[in-house]
């Protein structure tokens, strides 16, 4: 089945992009041709009788006028009051979008814009649908990044913890005010006087409650084990606080551990065990002083090899022989080969401390991807190493202090040296001097860095507080199965991060944060924590914030009835660690969401939160309640420069959202103001489930697209001037067929748009909108009905039928764009007929499309006529269709009957079929006349009719004869329907007889 709207094939329009583009780009002619004097005063005298559109809605808003209009709309349409208004509605339908708190450490950026606007689009959609939205904006206010920025170059020297906290709090408050002002300017709907802050006492008290609940269940514990440690920040870090630098360069080495005790099963394998060195490769030579073992893979093959040049014997994995020989530049002669399990019981000498044993131990983390297949193991400086130590009861001796320097226990040659610098070189020199070093090389690889200081971290063992995530992992994986994740591909990433995290270090050695609510016995170091101590502290925190931990004396912090007999408060001291900020934000569900469920419909954040807030919230919720805090997760990508690069001030490609909205201060011509709606359009139009780019090209395109939307709406507003729905609207059953058809399309559009919003596919909303406006409205309906709108009698049924449709379309399109373009939607609503201003668009509901508008049978009639029109227009390229009369010949059958619904008489100049064809006169016959003029163009076509879901199918053929119009051009409507030159046509004459006198 084919339909041409303008000259677009409805069901095959994507097949001909040239034709589609041509029709879609047709501009709406706002001023009728009848308003132009092309034939002296004879035509000009009819100008006032034509119903030309008129509206006060500006055609375009630019510069300061744009900014003033948006701010005026926010004021007049009460943007600031919308959230409170909708919360007071009496409805059982509630939608909760829990705001992941942005970090309060700087100015708003385009990442904020992407995230906040995405959330606001969905929230506004839900408000329009009649739901009561629960959305409380929040800020993540603790942590090292804020502390560092607040203190600047001062550092923490000579500052007490309270002084540090006061400066950090003030810095966070200032950042919050800047960000809040920007979010409001972007039109984000919220009660900005009721936000949540992680430094608020009530929030912190809820967080302490979650902490104790997990501690009580045995899921939080204190232990001495390796953690990521940032020497530049002097604190432990979690995985989510790391950034991996793919260009990090380490000083890697090949070195040997001499065999001291041969493996019992392999004693007879060679007589040269005393000369054998276990060959290892490592990128972290500084960890060798802390070595406690060398690990092998039990199921792999290992070989003793002899270096042809030096004559020395080495032990390494058989699979790694070739690559190792190439790396060493040596020929290795293969000797005895055996399975890794045969190495059991072997013992090496420590290369730096010959009297120290280093046993050969099996381990599953050993791989054959790099190195020699034998892994040097330092339990204090590696997660896998620690697991081996736990299994085989090895010592976990840390030789590195908080500053990343070797401690005294590392020996006089190493003490005080930075392990990642001169400490590494000293270790390598010692190995060389001892005859154990085979090769030293610079190795580029991915290495963890502190996410804020941008400096490399180390792994070191220390006393920390941990969450035993391994115990809740299975339950967390189960509850995730019930969570809807958009896009679905993000589920695998989240599950992978969950699977990798066996424990979570939640203690930090800083001042700006929520204190871990633990007291320690001064002599034994035994921690004291109980329900009584935590509840007492939570009450103090509620009243005074967590500053009380540093402000109040021990007598007020630790209740005497919480300690055992025989001890006193003076025997205890408070802990100095604070909680990880991911624990701060990860407990927001307990502090912000409504009880008793405390579960949101959706969390919507960037993909970096898969290992951050999404995961920490899941772990804390599952640990305490055995359920996820969210029903859905929506994951968006990052914002990149227009060239696809990461934004960087040094590269000069940072895009400031304030400059986007308000324009550049220095060069407004180079950086014009685009307004908040353009920023919102850019967000909605982008494929947010991947990386999003922004720059002048994207913003200019957004501005131009909004202008097209504005002018489409403006055309409808102009024609609806003076229209009164209550007295002039026409029932859809009494409308012209083409008008009913447009309502059918409007109903389809409304359903698809609603579904797209529900799926968070806002770019699809925009694609649907643009297709509907360019193809169905501008490229088809508007061009067809202009004559009826402009030239029919003002109160005629045909004109009112069309105006009723325009009213419905204007209303539906305005509502469909409102979540994305709230300023433009409300502006149009203020100009639309029948609105007094007492009610805003967002207070008046979603699209009110009726199911009665859907009429598949009627569609066949209009699409059949449009297929005929396509044949006709294709024969007169570039010509005015009104200059021709058309004869349509269809053999008796279903298609003929459908065309008769559009034209009852054989010959007509005012039928709906003629209107659709845009000709001056149409003749509908079962066959072409034999007496056609010699200059007639004869064409053929087919149309496939498909009714009742395929039950009725007919491939109908038709013929079209096109001849120049036989009558004269009407001076008023300019169709060739006048009986003689210089006079109006019958339709216009009738209209003029009822028109006011000149």
């Amino acid at each position: 089945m084919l339909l041409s709207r303008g000259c677009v094939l409805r069901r095959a329009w994507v097949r001909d992009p040239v034709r589609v583009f041509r029709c879609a780009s047709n501009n709406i002619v706002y001023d009728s041709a009848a308003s132009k004097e092309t034939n002296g005063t004879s035509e000009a005298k009819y100008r006032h009788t034509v119903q030309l559109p008129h509206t006060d809605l500006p055609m375009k808003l630019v510069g300061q006028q744009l900014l003033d209009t948006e701010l005026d709309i926010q004021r007049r349409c009460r943007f600031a009051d919308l959230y409170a208004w909708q919360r007071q509605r009496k409805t059982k339908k509630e939608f909760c979008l829990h705001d992941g708190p942005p970090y309060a450490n700087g100015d708003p950026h385009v990442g904020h814009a992407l995230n906040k606007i995405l959330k606001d689009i969905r929230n506004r959609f839900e408000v329009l649908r009649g739901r009561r939205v629960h959305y409380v904006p929040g800020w993540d206010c603790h942590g090292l990044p804020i502390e560092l920025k607040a203190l600047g170059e001062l550092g923490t020297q000579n500052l007490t913890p309270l002084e540090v906290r006061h400066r950090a709090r003030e810095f966070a408050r200032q950042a919050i005010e800047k960000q809040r002002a920007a979010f409001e300017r972007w039109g984000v709907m919220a009660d900005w006087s009721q936000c949540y802050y992680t430094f608020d006492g009530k929030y912190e008290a809820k967080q302490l409650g979650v902490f104790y609940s997990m501690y009580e269940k045995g899921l939080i514990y204190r232990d001495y084990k390796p953690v990521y440690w940032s020497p530049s920040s002097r604190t432990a870090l979690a995985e989510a606080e790391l950034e991996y630098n793919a260009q990090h360069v380490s000083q890697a080495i090949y070195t040997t551990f001499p065999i001291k005790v041969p493996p019992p099963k392999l004693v007879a394998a060679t007589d040269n065990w005393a000369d054998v060195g276990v060959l290892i490769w490592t990128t972290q030579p500084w960890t060798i002083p802390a070595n406690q073992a060398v690990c092998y893979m039990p199921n792999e093959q290992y070989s003793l090899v002899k270096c042809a040049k030096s004559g020395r014997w080495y032990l390494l994995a058989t699979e790694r022989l070739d690559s190792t020989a190439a790396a060493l530049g040596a020929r290795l002669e293969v000797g005895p080969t055996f399975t890794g399990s045969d190495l059991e019981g072997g013992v090496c000498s420590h290369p730096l401390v010959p009297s120290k044993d280093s046993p050969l131990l099996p381990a599953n983390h050993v791989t054959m991807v790099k190195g020699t297949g034998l892994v040097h193991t330092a339990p204090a400086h590696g997660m896998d190493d620690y697991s081996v130590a736990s299994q085989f009861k090895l010592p976990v001796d840390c030789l590195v202090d908080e500053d990343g320097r070797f401690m005294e226990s590392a020996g006089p040659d190493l003490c005080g040296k930075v392990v990642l610098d001169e400490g590494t070189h000293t270790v390598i020199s010692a190995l060389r001097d001892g005859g154990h070093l085979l090769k030293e090389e610079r190795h580029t690889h991915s290495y963890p860095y502190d996410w804020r200081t941008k400096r490399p971290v180390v792994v070191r063992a220390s006393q920390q507080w941990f969450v035993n995530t391994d115990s809740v992992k299975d339950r967390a994986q189960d509850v995730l199965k019930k969570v809807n994740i958009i896009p679905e591909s993000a589920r695998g990433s989240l599950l992978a991060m969950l699977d990798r995290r066996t424990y979570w270090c939640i203690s930090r050695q800083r001042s700006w944060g929520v204190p871990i609510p633990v007291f320690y016995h001064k002599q034994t170091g035994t921690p004291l924590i109980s329900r009584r101590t935590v509840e007492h502290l939570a009450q103090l925190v509620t009243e005074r914030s967590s500053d009380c931990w540093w402000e109040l004396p021990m007598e007020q912090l630790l209740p005497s009835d919480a300690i055992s007999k025989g001890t006193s408060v003076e025997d205890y001291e408070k802990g100095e660690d604070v909680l990880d900020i991911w624990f701060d934000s990860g407990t927001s569900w307990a502090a912000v969401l409504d009880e008793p469920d405390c579960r949101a419909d959706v969390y919507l954040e960037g993909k970096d939160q898969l290992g951050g807030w999404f995961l920490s919230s899941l772990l804390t919720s599952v640990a305490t309640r055995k359920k996820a805090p969210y029903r859905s997760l929506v994951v968006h990508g990052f914002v990149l420069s227009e060239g696809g690069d990461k934004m960087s001030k040094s590269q000069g490609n940072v895009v400031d959202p304030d400059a986007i909205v308000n324009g550049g201060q220095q060069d407004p011509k180079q950086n014009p103001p685009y307004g908040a709606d353009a920023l919102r359009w850019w967000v909605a139009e982008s494929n947010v489930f991947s990386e999003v780019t922004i720059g002048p090209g994207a913003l200019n395109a957004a501005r131009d697209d909004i202008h097209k939307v504005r002018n489409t709406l403006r055309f409808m507003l102009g024609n609806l001037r003076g229209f009164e729905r209550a007295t002039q609207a026409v029932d859809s059953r009494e409308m012209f067929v083409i008008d009913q058809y447009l309502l059918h399309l409007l109903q389809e559009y409304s359903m698809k748009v609603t579904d797209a919003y529900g799926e968070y596919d806002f770019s699809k909303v925009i694609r649907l909108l643009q297709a509907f406006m360019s193809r169905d409205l501008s490229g088809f309906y508007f061009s067809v009905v202009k004559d009826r709108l402009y030239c029919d009698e003002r109160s005629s049924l045909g004109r009112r039928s069309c105006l009723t449709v325009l009213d419905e379309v204007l209303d539906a399109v305005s509502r469909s764009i409102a979540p994305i373009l709230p300023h433009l939607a409300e502006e149009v609503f203020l100009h639309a007929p029948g609105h007094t201003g007492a009610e805003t668009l967002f207070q008046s509901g979603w699209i009110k499309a009726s199911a009665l508008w859907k009429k598949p049978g009627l569609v066949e009639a209009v699409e059949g006529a449009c297929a005929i029109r396509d044949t006709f227009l294709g024969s007169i390229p570039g010509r005015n269709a009104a200059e021709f009369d058309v004869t349509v010949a269809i053999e008796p059958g279903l298609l003929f009957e459908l065309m008769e619904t559009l034209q009852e008489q054989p010959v007509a100049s005012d039928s709906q079929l003629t209107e659709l064809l845009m000709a001056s006169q149409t003749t509908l016959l079962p066959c072409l006349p034999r007496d056609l003029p010699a200059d007639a163009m004869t064409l053929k076509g087919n149309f496939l009719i498909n009714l009742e879901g395929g039950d009725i199918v007919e491939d109908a053929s038709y013929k079209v004869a096109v001849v120049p119009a036989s009558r004269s051009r009407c001076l008023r409507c300019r169709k060739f329907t006048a009986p003689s030159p210089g006079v109006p046509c019958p339709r216009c004459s009738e209209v003029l007889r009822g028109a006011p006198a000149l």
Side-chain angles (χ1 to χ4, degrees):
M1 217 169 356
L2 300 177
L3 162 66
S4 109
R5 301 183 192 158
C7 44
V8 178
L9 300 176
R10 171 160 169 73
R11 300 201 181 168
W13 68 287
V14 293
R15 294 186 226 164
D16 190 351
V18 176
R19 293 173 68 191
V20 171
F21 177 80
R22 183 171 68 245
C23 298
S25 64
N26 286 345
N27 292 324
I28 300 168
V29 180
Y30 194 73
D31 292 323
S32 169
S35 67
K36 300 177 183 178
E37 297 185 38
T38 59
N39 190 24
T41 59
S42 58
E43 291 187 357
K45 70 178 181 180
Y46 295 115
R47 183 190 309 172
H48 74 284
T49 71
V50 178
Q51 314 297 327
L52 294 179
H54 177 75
T55 178
D56 295 329
L57 184 76
M59 182 180 296
K60 181 184 292 187
L61 291 177
V62 295
Q64 191 61 43
Q65 183 189 18
L66 167 63
L67 303 181
D68 292 343
T69 299
E70 285 194 341
L71 293 173
D72 184 58
I73 290 296
Q74 289 189 4
R75 178 186 59 80
R76 293 176 62 188
C77 299
R78 305 181 292 281
F79 275 36
D81 302 329
L82 179 59
Y83 183 83
W85 171 85
Q86 61 90 29
R87 288 300 297 169
Q88 296 170 0
R89 288 193 293 190
K90 294 181 180 179
T91 176
K92 293 182 180 180
K93 296 179 181 179
E94 180 133 348
F95 175 78
C96 178
L97 193 160
H98 185 31
D99 190 35
Y103 214 52
N105 71 328
D107 294 339
H109 51 71
V110 286
H112 288 131
L114 177 69
N115 181 259
K116 292 299 180 184
I117 291 172
L118 283 174
K119 293 173 181 175
D120 191 60
I121 290 173
R122 182 54 187 254
N123 282 340
R124 286 180 174 274
F125 168 66
E126 296 294 346
V127 168
L128 285 167
R129 292 180 69 197
R131 291 188 176 182
R132 190 167 55 208
V133 170
H134 180 282
Y135 174 72
V136 181
W139 275 271
D140 200 351
C141 308
H142 290 135
L144 179 65
I146 293 174
E147 186 176 323
L148 292 178
K149 283 199 172 184
L151 300 177
E153 296 179 357
L154 294 175
T156 58
Q157 293 182 356
N158 302 320
L159 292 178
T160 66
L162 267 179
E163 289 173 328
V164 171
R165 289 175 64 84
H166 290 163
R167 293 191 182 201
R169 185 186 300 274
E170 182 57 31
F171 179 88
R173 282 194 175 121
Q174 292 175 6
I176 288 169
E177 289 308 312
K178 291 180 182 179
Q179 293 181 18
R180 189 204 322 265
F183 301 163
E184 287 189 74
R185 178 62 184 90
W186 302 339
V188 177
M189 177 192 67
D191 183 346
W192 294 104
S193 66
Q194 298 295 323
C195 302
Y196 78 90
Y197 313 98
T198 60
F199 62 29
D200 178 74
K202 293 180 180 178
Y203 184 101
E204 294 172 323
K206 288 284 188 180
Q207 181 178 337
L208 292 175
V210 174
F211 175 92
Y212 184 74
S213 176
M214 295 174 66
Y215 174 82
E216 196 174 34
K217 289 176 168 59
L219 298 173
I220 289 180
Y221 62 97
R222 190 173 186 240
D223 199 359
Y224 180 80
K225 64 170 65 177
V227 296
Y228 291 109
W229 184 274
S230 171
S232 55
S233 300
R234 300 187 86 252
T235 185
L237 297 177
E239 179 74 36
E241 296 170 300
L242 302 176
E243 291 179 350
Y244 283 83
N245 180 359
Q247 301 304 314
H248 179 82
V249 178
S250 292
Q251 208 67 17
I253 60 169
Y254 285 88
T255 191
T256 60
F257 282 61
I259 287 288
K260 182 176 183 180
V261 178
K265 294 182 180 179
L266 300 175
V267 171
T270 180
D271 295 331
N272 300 304
W273 280 111
D275 298 324
V276 174
V278 173
L279 185 58
I280 67 101
W281 175 80
T282 179
T283 62
Q284 306 300 312
W286 63 269
T287 62
I288 286 181
N291 174 274
Q292 299 292 345
V294 175
C295 291
Y296 58 86
M297 176 61 78
N299 298 326
E300 293 291 337
Q301 296 293 305
Y302 288 81
S303 298
L304 288 174
V305 299
K306 183 179 180 180
C307 178
K309 183 177 182 180
S310 68
R312 298 176 64 180
W313 286 85
Y314 305 120
L315 171 65
L316 72 160
T318 308
E319 186 179 330
R320 300 300 301 164
L321 279 173
D322 292 342
S323 60
T324 302
L328 296 177
R331 185 166 61 86
L332 301 179
E333 300 172 352
V334 181
T337 297
F338 36 82
T339 302
S341 57
D342 293 338
L343 293 172
E344 183 180 358
V347 179
C348 302
S349 294
H350 194 291
L352 298 180
V353 188
S355 60
K356 182 179 178 181
D357 291 346
S358 184
L360 292 170
L361 299 175
N364 291 327
H365 72 273
V366 179
T367 70
M368 299 296 141
V369 177
K370 292 180 180 179
T372 65
L374 291 156
V375 177
H376 132 69
T377 301
H381 302 295
M383 314 302 186
D384 292 324
D385 308 48
Y386 179 79
S387 297
V388 173
S390 299
Q391 181 180 354
F392 293 99
K393 311 300 181 185
L394 300 177
V396 183
D397 297 330
C398 180
L399 305 180
V400 180
D401 66 13
E402 293 87 348
D403 293 315
R405 298 175 180 272
F406 278 115
M407 296 189 292
E408 187 176 348
S409 55
D413 292 338
L414 293 173
C415 181
K417 293 183 177 180
V418 176
V419 298
L420 293 178
D421 191 4
E422 67 262 37
T424 291
H425 299 306
T426 302
V427 170
I428 293 174
S429 295
L431 290 169
R432 182 184 296 110
D433 294 343
H436 303 293
L437 184 70
L438 270 66
K439 183 177 181 179
E440 176 185 1
E441 62 183 6
R442 290 171 63 83
H443 178 68
T444 302
H445 63 127
S446 180
Y447 190 84
Y449 275 52
D450 185 323
W451 67 325
R452 290 304 177 186
T453 65
K454 311 300 181 185
R455 302 293 300 162
V457 304
V458 297
V459 175
R460 65 181 290 271
S462 61
Q463 284 280 6
Q464 302 289 342
W465 287 90
F466 299 91
V467 173
N468 183 2
T469 54
D470 209 33
S471 297
V472 299
K473 186 183 301 182
D474 291 343
R475 178 66 181 178
Q477 290 172 340
D478 287 340
V479 301
L480 274 179
K481 294 176 182 177
K482 301 177 182 178
V483 174
N484 178 40
I485 301 180
I486 303 174
E488 179 61 30
S489 58
R491 186 184 302 275
S493 300
L494 182 57
L495 287 171
M497 292 183 180
L498 178 61
D499 188 59
R500 287 200 303 266
R501 181 175 283 191
T502 56
Y503 58 85
W504 171 16
C505 178
I506 58 171
S507 49
R508 298 291 179 272
Q509 289 65 52
R510 305 300 298 187
S511 301
W512 181 227
V514 177
I516 294 181
V518 179
F519 302 91
Y520 299 95
H521 194 277
K522 291 179 180 178
Q523 293 184 349
T524 66
T526 303
L528 170 62
I529 178 174
S530 66
R531 180 174 295 278
R532 175 75 176 98
T533 61
V534 175
E535 288 181 349
H536 174 74
L537 179 61
Q539 182 60 40
L540 292 174
V541 168
T542 300
E543 297 168 358
R544 307 173 60 107
S545 87
S546 58
D547 284 351
C548 67
W549 188 255
W550 289 268
E551 289 174 336
L552 300 179
M554 280 289 294
E555 291 75 15
Q556 290 182 251
L557 294 174
L558 178 58
S560 57
D561 60 354
I563 58 178
S564 58
K565 293 182 179 180
T567 59
S568 65
V569 173
E570 289 76 16
D571 295 328
Y572 290 89
E573 60 185 1
K574 60 191 176 187
E576 297 181 354
D577 293 343
V578 299
L579 284 164
D580 174 17
I581 57 172
W582 293 111
F583 196 90
D584 278 19
S585 59
T587 55
S588 60
W589 54 265
V592 180
L593 302 184
D594 288 339
E595 297 179 348
D597 191 36
C598 288
R599 184 157 54 162
D601 288 295
V602 65
Y603 279 31
L604 189 161
E605 301 298 331
K607 64 182 182 181
D608 55 326
Q609 298 307 316
L610 288 169
W613 189 55
F614 290 158
L615 187 55
S616 63
S617 298
L618 176 69
L619 291 172
T620 57
S621 181
V622 170
T624 54
R625 310 183 301 164
K626 298 183 178 180
K627 65 180 180 181
Y630 37 70
R631 295 182 178 87
S632 295
L633 288 179
V634 178
V635 188
H636 64 75
F638 296 143
V639 182
L640 305 177
S641 71
E642 204 154 44
D645 302 316
K646 185 177 180 180
M647 291 190 188
S648 169
K649 289 183 179 178
S650 61
Q651 295 183 22
N653 62 358
V654 175
V655 179
D656 181 3
D658 180 68
I660 293 173
V661 174
N662 298 309
Q665 300 298 319
Q666 297 180 348
D667 188 358
K669 291 184 178 180
Q670 186 71 21
N671 298 294
Y674 291 95
D677 271 0
L679 184 64
R680 296 175 68 97
W681 181 276
W682 161 74
V683 170
E685 188 181 32
S686 302
N687 178 14
V688 298
F689 303 127
S690 61
E691 311 302 7
V692 178
T693 59
I694 190 170
L699 294 169
N700 288 334
R703 177 191 58 199
D704 294 343
D705 287 341
I706 293 173
H707 286 163
K708 292 175 184 177
V709 175
R710 168 179 284 272
N711 281 292
T712 300
L713 298 171
R714 186 171 182 266
F715 173 80
M716 290 185 280
L717 274 176
N719 282 287
L720 287 167
R721 185 179 182 89
F723 178 73
E724 295 181 4
R725 183 179 301 176
T727 59
Q728 295 178 296
V730 176
D731 187 281
S732 63
R733 292 166 295 186
E734 300 174 7
M735 287 180 177
F736 279 25
V737 172
I738 186 176
D739 299 331
Q740 295 184 50
Y741 173 70
L742 204 285
L743 289 182
H744 171 88
L745 296 180
L746 181 62
Q747 203 265 352
E748 280 187 344
Y749 166 77
S750 301
M751 291 179 62
K752 291 177 181 178
V753 163
T754 302
D755 290 343
Y757 273 118
E759 296 165 358
Y760 295 89
D761 196 347
F762 307 142
S763 63
K764 184 177 181 180
V765 172
I766 287 184
R767 293 194 301 273
L768 289 168
L769 170 70
Q770 290 176 321
F772 182 66
M773 288 194 312
S774 63
R775 183 187 64 194
D776 299 334
L777 296 180
S778 301
F780 171 61
Y781 186 69
F782 291 169
S783 60
V784 168
V785 301
K786 276 181 184 176
D787 176 72
R788 192 176 359 142
L789 277 175
Y790 296 169
C791 299
D792 271 14
E793 194 274 323
R794 180 185 295 271
S795 60
S796 67
L797 175 64
R799 189 169 184 276
R800 288 189 296 110
S801 173
C802 182
L803 290 175
T804 305
V805 170
L806 291 183
D807 188 45
E808 295 287 2
V809 173
L810 176 68
D811 188 74
V813 172
S814 297
R815 295 180 194 281
S816 72
I817 66 169
I820 297 170
L821 304 175
H823 301 88
L824 176 57
E826 289 285 17
E827 184 185 7
V828 170
F829 193 74
L830 289 173
H831 287 81
H835 300 137
T836 63
E839 185 179 57
T840 68
L841 184 147
F842 281 96
Q843 293 174 334
S844 60
W846 185 234
I847 302 171
K848 302 172 180 65
S850 171
L852 298 176
W853 295 350
K854 194 169 183 64
K855 296 182 178 180
L858 175 144
V859 170
E860 301 301 312
V862 177
E863 295 196 349
C866 288
I868 295 169
R869 184 179 76 154
D870 192 61
T871 302
F872 161 47
L873 295 178
S875 70
I876 55 166
R879 300 289 299 276
N880 181 2
E883 296 176 2
F884 297 90
D885 292 343
V886 178
T887 299
V888 179
I890 308 172
E891 293 183 1
L894 190 53
L895 181 59
F896 189 87
E897 294 175 7
L898 290 173
M899 293 306 100
E900 282 189 313
T901 64
L902 299 173
Q903 180 166 308
E904 297 178 357
Q905 303 298 323
V907 182
S909 60
D910 57 356
S911 68
Q912 295 181 60
L913 181 58
T914 302
E915 182 178 55
L916 275 164
L917 297 180
M918 301 171 68
S920 284
Q921 180 177 282
T922 303
T923 302
L924 179 62
L925 299 170
C927 61
L928 288 179
R930 295 181 180 179
D931 57 347
L932 286 172
D935 58 351
M937 291 181 288
T938 305
L939 311 155
K940 296 181 180 180
N942 288 78
F943 179 71
L944 180 64
I945 299 171
N946 191 332
L947 291 171
E948 304 296 335
D951 291 342
I952 302 176
V953 178
E954 179 181 304
D955 190 4
S957 61
Y958 58 84
K959 295 179 181 178
V960 177
V962 181
V963 298
S966 58
R967 286 178 287 181
S968 300
R969 185 170 181 265
C970 174
L971 297 178
R972 181 171 178 270
C973 69
R974 298 194 172 188
K975 293 179 69 175
F976 287 79
T977 52
S980 60
V983 299
C985 67
R987 186 268 307 262
C988 289
S989 295
E990 184 177 347
V991 172
L992 291 171
R993 281 195 292 272
L998 294 175

